[in-house]
Amino acid sequence: MSARPRTGFDWRATPGLAPLTVLVLVFLYAPLVVLIAYAFNASDLAMVWGGFSLRWFEKALSNADLRRAALNSVIVAVVATVVATAVAVPAALALERGRRFLARPAAEAVIALPLVAPEIVTAIATLVFFSAIGLRLGIGNIAIAHVVFCIPFALLPVRARLRDMPRDVEDAARDLYADDWAVFRRVTLPLLMPGIVSGATLAFIVSLDDFLITLMVAEAGSTTLPVYLYGMLRLGVTPEANAAATLLLAASVGAVVAAYFIMRRDRHSRL
């Protein structure tokens, strides 16, 4: 009787890889653990432990400037997510389900450019363009820049989902006399929903955490939370900055967890 073939990756076949992986993960996540721990520090000094306390969270939440910056970040992230996702879905359908056209490689290159180009280059180019056309919309400048930057992040999961979707289901709906809109609304869109949610979540997090582009295009009165935190850190690390950064991290993690449960509920509802 032949042995059953093994599937998956065998850690024992590569000695030393598991400890190296653990060291890499510790190197990546240990600073976050330290940041979160010192956000609950009762001492006035950021890196001197003085006991457990929530007073720096209370101080951060009572800071009117910090709340205004956080509200700006949420507004920009929501606008960028909605617009980028609304653009990404038809773009993915055109690239994966549409007819072939001569400019398709150029279109794919333009869409992927924000992923390839260094962010500082994108930030400077955006600043120069806005200055050249005299665009001064305050927080609108940040929203427009984030929409352009977030489109590829919203597009990639949707396009990957389309590649995994069999065309037979859509063809079967057409054989049952469904028009293109009915096929999209009743077949394609429900099957695309996990990719749409993933892309929207990724776009929201990228916009919420963006610093370089926002720093370049933000005008007075339109500061977002990452830029505000940078301004706080220029005078040194403080427990209030640790608390504010922890809240920003919690918002990002919360968005990922919410997207996970949404996709899980959608998957169970179809079973």
Side-chain angles (χ1 to χ4, degrees):
M1 181 177 181
S2 59
R4 184 179 179 180
R6 294 180 179 179
T7 59
F9 184 78
D10 188 3
W11 289 92
R12 293 173 296 180
T14 54
L17 183 59
L20 178 61
T21 303
V22 173
L23 289 176
V24 171
L25 293 176
V26 170
F27 177 78
L28 290 176
Y29 291 104
L32 295 178
V33 175
V34 173
L35 170 71
I36 296 172
Y38 277 100
F40 297 92
N41 187 10
S43 173
D44 292 334
L45 301 177
M47 300 306 295
V48 177
W49 183 255
F52 181 86
S53 175
L54 296 174
R55 72 186 185 103
W56 295 111
F57 287 95
E58 297 174 358
K59 186 175 181 180
L61 293 175
S62 62
N63 188 330
D65 293 333
L66 193 148
R67 292 202 309 268
R68 189 180 304 110
L71 180 60
N72 289 340
S73 292
V74 172
I75 292 174
V76 170
V78 170
V79 172
T81 300
V82 172
V83 178
T85 304
V87 174
V89 172
L93 289 171
L95 292 174
E96 292 297 325
R97 294 289 193 265
R99 297 179 180 178
R100 299 285 178 174
F101 52 96
L102 294 178
R104 177 172 175 172
E108 293 180 344
V110 170
I111 293 174
L113 187 60
L115 298 175
V116 178
E119 189 175 355
I120 184 63
V121 176
T122 304
I124 295 174
T126 305
L127 174 62
V128 171
F129 177 72
F130 284 175
S131 300
I133 64 176
L135 189 64
R136 303 181 63 88
L137 300 177
I139 196 174
N141 284 20
I142 305 176
I144 294 172
H146 281 207
V147 166
V148 177
F149 185 69
C150 290
I151 287 175
F153 294 96
L155 175 68
L156 291 178
V158 179
R159 192 172 181 184
R161 180 70 177 174
L162 274 172
R163 288 180 177 176
D164 293 337
M165 281 173 48
R167 292 176 179 263
D168 298 343
V169 180
E170 297 170 310
D171 293 337
R174 293 187 179 92
D175 290 340
L176 295 174
Y177 304 102
D179 56 16
D180 291 339
W181 171 244
V183 171
F184 173 77
R185 183 167 56 90
R186 295 182 176 273
V187 179
T188 307
L189 187 60
L191 293 176
L192 269 184
M193 196 53 63
I196 295 174
V197 173
S198 299
T201 304
L202 189 58
F204 180 82
I205 294 174
V206 168
S207 176
L208 188 68
D209 298 340
D210 181 75
F211 170 73
L212 277 177
I213 295 178
T214 307
L215 180 65
M216 289 292 180
V217 303
E219 298 180 347
S222 59
T223 302
T224 60
L225 187 55
V227 176
Y228 183 84
L229 289 177
Y230 172 74
M232 295 176 64
L233 295 177
R234 292 177 65 182
L235 301 177
V237 180
T238 63
E240 185 181 1
N242 290 340
T246 301
L247 292 174
L248 179 61
L249 177 62
S252 300
V253 174
V256 175
V257 173
Y260 168 77
F261 281 107
I262 290 173
M263 289 187 296
R264 182 179 179 182
R265 186 180 61 180
D266 178 76
R267 183 170 61 251
H268 287 175
S269 66
R270 295 198 305 267
L271 294 178

